[in-house]
Amino acid sequence: MLQYRTDLAMEVHELLCAKSRAQTLSGVDSRTVFRRGCSVTSVRIDTEGAARQLGKPRGRYVTLDLSPLQKNADDLLERASRAVGAELRALLGENVKSVLVAGLGNASMTPDAIGPRSAEHVLVTRHLRQNGAFSAFCSVSVLTPGVLGRTGIEAMETLRGTVRAVQPDAVIAIDALASRSLMRLCSTVQLSDTGIVPGSGVGNHRCPLSRDTLGVPVYAIGVPTVVDAATLTLDVLEEAGKSDVDPAALRGHETVIVTTRDIDAQIRELARVIGYGIDLALQPLDFSELCALMG
């Protein structure tokens, strides 16, 4: 299973089930439903044994396949934002009244820019709560901590200090992920209640963001924007009936990352979907009111 590189819990579960010829794994509850025009797959890891087997922390991972919605560009933003917002709201529960949103990644590297770009579309309200018109709103702060190579500071360190100052009920972290399949690039959103490791999508793992490191629950929103070239090659060879290839022979000395040719347009579109989805999950607004506020 480790020959395939992916950050999506549903893909790891699929690979392990295929390897063991089972429908599901012990300690894992997986189910797929069709809601709001797209398929929603929930993978809940219940035991430490299952967590070790999947290489993921215990918790819930919800993956939305937005590809059916992307076939109609006219109302894509509204329908996709509503779908993301509804699943995020269900994951957060009713007791979250203040949130720090962290847009992780390198804004100058397009496949890694989904975090900072999405943060631009999140409605910031912490400084407005004393205004009567916003008293019923969730208190939202936004931070884009940048990357270690530009700041010299780990995202976890920046966020830990901000959490101490702002004291949110939860952190929502947005970052790029890697998928094993080209078909899932920029058409899939994974939500989880287990935190996140910044940079995992582009092979640059940093200090994890979790309840243990930040002191509050950390919810993650990830969008697969890249595929590892060796993983992609293995997938293609497997489809061609050639499964006896040594994965190590494909990797060579350098990691090669593949993305789509229209990644700029895809990131712009998905950043609005993620940002608006967060807004709809947190605030007492409908889509038209949100568009009016965000311009």
Side-chain angles (χ1 to χ4, degrees), residues 106-295:
N106 188 342
S108 301
M109 184 185 298
T110 305
D112 195 33
I114 188 68
R117 301 280 177 83
S118 298
E120 295 173 0
H121 300 287
V122 174
L123 183 63
V124 178
T125 59
R126 180 173 178 261
H127 61 305
L128 301 173
R129 289 291 304 283
Q130 294 180 346
N131 184 315
F134 290 91
S135 60
F137 279 51
C138 178
S139 174
V140 177
S141 311
V142 172
L143 181 68
T144 52
V147 292
L148 182 66
R150 284 176 171 257
T151 66
I153 307 169
E154 289 277 6
M156 184 274 292
E157 295 171 325
T158 302
L159 286 169
R160 187 166 57 190
T162 306
V163 166
R164 288 172 179 166
V166 175
Q167 297 185 338
D169 294 331
V171 170
I172 298 176
I174 315 163
D175 202 6
L177 304 179
S179 171
R180 65 168 289 200
S181 169
L182 282 176
M183 299 297 292
R184 290 194 171 107
L185 293 194
C186 299
S187 65
T188 303
V189 178
Q190 177 177 269
L191 314 175
S192 74
D193 58 6
T194 62
I196 196 169
V197 178
S200 59
V202 291
N204 186 27
H205 293 71
R206 307 308 316 167
C207 295
L209 307 179
S210 65
R211 183 192 286 267
D212 290 340
T213 58
L214 297 184
V216 296
V218 179
Y219 298 86
I221 302 178
V223 177
T225 60
V226 295
V227 177
D228 175 62
T231 296
L232 177 61
T233 303
L234 284 169
D235 241 4
V236 172
L237 291 174
E238 189 175 280
E239 289 179 6
K242 299 180 180 180
S243 57
D244 57 346
V245 180
D246 178 13
L250 297 175
R251 295 197 175 275
H253 300 290
E254 296 290 338
T255 298
V256 177
I257 299 294
V258 179
T259 191
T260 63
R261 64 180 180 180
D262 61 342
I263 189 64
D264 297 79
Q266 296 271 27
I267 292 297
R268 280 197 302 271
E269 183 178 84
L270 277 166
R272 290 188 73 195
V273 167
I274 299 302
Y276 281 23
I278 292 172
D279 295 332
L280 292 172
L282 297 176
Q283 308 300 359
L285 298 169
D286 62 28
F287 184 78
S288 60
E289 292 171 331
L290 175 62
C291 290
L293 276 173
M294 299 301 289

